[in-house]
Amino acid sequence: MAQKQQLVRRGARDLDLTLAVRSGSVARARQGWYTTLPQGDPRVRAVRVGGRLTGISAIRAMGGWVLGAHPLHVSVPANAARLRTEGNRFLRLTDVTRTSEIVHWDAFDVGERGSALIVGLSDALLRVVLDESVETAVAAIDWARRTGRLDDCDFERLVIQLPIARRWVARMSDPRCDSLPESLVRTRARLAGHVVISQVRVGDIDQFDLLIDGCAAIEVDGDQFHRHRFEHDRRKDIAITRTGLHVIRPSARMVFYEWDAVYAAILSALDARGARRNLGNSGLDGRARPRRRVNSRVVARPAPPFPEFPKGDGGARGSQGRAGLRSDKIKPDR
């Protein structure tokens, strides 16, 4: 993707660009923008609108952990005009022509970060926390921290930029998380009131993904990572079971699309080991320690505590954040 001025500076003539477009080797994404990317690429669609990818669309384009389909989120400057629909560069974007695009009128400093096609990582994560569900936002931050794209200092800056009512969402992230399904299981279990510890080691056994309420050991299998480790994983399950824990090994697809069945199995495992729910004032479902003692001491650093869940949404779409993000209403052309 490049602007015409960039191509001209590199020696391209108007005739060259015209011939390239006619031959199909290059396409016009928008007036003055040329690309070799597929026309359905989210980056092309964002440029066609008149901005850059932001929010969950930016996280997906960066390779982040995102489950399912989401509308296109586009960041445009506060004074942007002549916006177009994501599918037609000739059709003006109005409330009538709008399909699924979500346009965010961002402060000018947002435009100073990121690339020509995607906003900066922190700006994208900030928008995700404000717009998306808790598990989607936590997974995005888990990915950013686990891959080293977001260090501890940047993470704390992100938390400070968030509205106070949404900071607990970011605090639920865990840099030790290894995958999207693991992140989803941890967040869903914690939202249900369970105590969850990540990357637990029991005795000499290799660490496993999650420990829920001190009873259920969760190992999430992904075909691309676990297919060649079948025998190793079975021995690991037996070793963990011998310590007194209940091993549950769902596949990633089960976590994605059959969560009710997976969670029912977790509850059955907890009930079988005498763990009982004890709702407190905070709304968290704290469970008592299991009656049966574990033979080996569990060695793991517990996840940092997070504040009480807010009663309201606190992060509804269009809220004004401290980072200068504005509502997603579409402004008319100027």
Side-chain angles (χ1 to χ4, degrees):
M1 181 82 73
Q3 289 181 296
K4 180 179 179 180
Q5 298 91 322
Q6 295 173 304
L7 298 174
V8 170
R9 284 197 298 267
R10 291 178 176 267
R13 301 170 302 170
D14 288 347
L15 178 61
D16 298 326
L17 296 176
T18 300
L19 293 177
V21 171
R22 289 179 180 177
S23 67
S25 60
V26 172
R28 286 190 180 94
R30 182 180 171 88
Q31 186 66 31
W33 283 87
Y34 295 84
T35 182
T36 58
L37 295 171
Q39 292 300 292
D41 189 291
R43 293 167 293 181
V44 176
R45 292 156 54 200
V47 169
R48 190 177 292 128
V49 171
R52 302 179 297 165
L53 291 178
T54 188
I56 199 66
S57 300
I59 298 301
R60 186 190 292 276
M62 295 178 193
W65 297 341
V66 181
L67 177 63
H70 295 267
L72 185 73
H73 288 256
V74 182
S75 170
V76 300
N79 64 344
R82 301 182 179 87
L83 300 185
R84 300 296 186 262
T85 63
E86 62 175 286
N88 188 339
R89 67 187 180 93
F90 299 106
L91 185 60
R92 291 187 177 183
L93 183 62
T94 66
D95 290 334
V96 176
T97 61
R98 179 177 183 170
T99 54
S100 61
E101 311 94 334
I102 299 178
V103 178
H104 303 280
W105 303 83
D106 289 335
F108 290 105
D109 63 322
V110 174
E112 299 173 355
R113 298 181 289 270
S115 68
L117 306 180
I118 306 175
V119 302
L121 176 60
S122 294
D123 294 314
L125 290 173
L126 182 61
R127 175 54 61 190
V128 168
V129 176
L130 294 176
D131 289 351
E132 307 298 336
S133 66
V134 174
E135 65 179 45
T136 299
V138 172
I141 301 176
D142 281 348
W143 161 78
R145 300 181 72 185
R146 185 68 178 87
T147 57
R149 292 171 178 257
L150 191 75
D151 59 27
D152 292 340
C153 291
D154 290 334
F155 172 72
E156 293 301 329
R157 293 192 192 99
L158 172 65
V159 173
I160 293 174
Q161 286 180 312
L162 287 167
I164 295 177
R166 295 293 285 180
R167 290 179 182 176
W168 65 273
V169 177
R171 293 292 185 192
M172 288 188 70
S173 66
D174 192 332
R176 297 166 294 179
C177 182
D178 280 335
S179 66
L180 172 58
E182 178 186 333
S183 175
L184 295 178
V185 173
R186 188 189 77 249
T187 302
R188 291 169 180 175
R190 292 189 72 189
L191 289 176
H194 301 279
V195 176
V196 186
I197 302 176
S198 300
Q199 300 303 318
V200 181
R201 187 180 299 277
V202 180
D204 296 330
I205 303 173
D206 292 343
Q207 64 185 17
F208 54 89
D209 294 337
L210 301 168
L211 178 65
I212 299 181
D213 292 345
C215 298
I218 311 298
E219 279 276 87
V220 182
D221 277 356
D223 290 342
Q224 58 179 331
F225 301 114
H226 290 266
R227 184 174 298 172
H228 66 286
R229 298 180 51 187
F230 183 86
E231 290 294 334
H232 174 270
D233 289 342
R234 301 292 84 73
R235 292 190 179 93
K236 184 177 180 180
D237 290 349
I238 291 176
I240 295 174
T241 302
R242 291 180 62 184
T243 68
L245 299 176
H246 189 120
V247 181
I248 301 176
R249 186 180 287 273
S251 68
R253 290 186 60 83
M254 292 181 68
V255 173
F256 295 158
Y257 308 114
E258 302 175 37
W259 172 247
D260 289 344
V262 174
Y263 185 55
I266 293 173
L267 292 180
S268 296
L270 297 176
D271 291 339
R273 277 157 174 72
R276 298 180 179 179
R277 299 188 180 186
N278 181 21
L279 290 174
N281 293 331
S282 65
L284 299 181
D285 184 3
R287 290 178 178 265
R289 294 181 178 274
R291 295 176 181 174
R292 182 177 179 180
R293 295 188 61 184
V294 177
N295 296 331
S296 299
R297 184 167 62 92
V298 175
V299 181
R301 179 170 59 86
F306 53 93
E308 296 183 348
F309 295 156
K311 295 181 180 180
D313 185 354
R317 193 185 308 267
S319 60
Q320 176 79 28
R322 295 182 61 181
L325 296 176
R326 301 185 178 184
S327 67
D328 56 6
K329 295 181 179 179
I330 298 176
K331 289 186 176 181
D333 289 350
R334 296 178 179 177

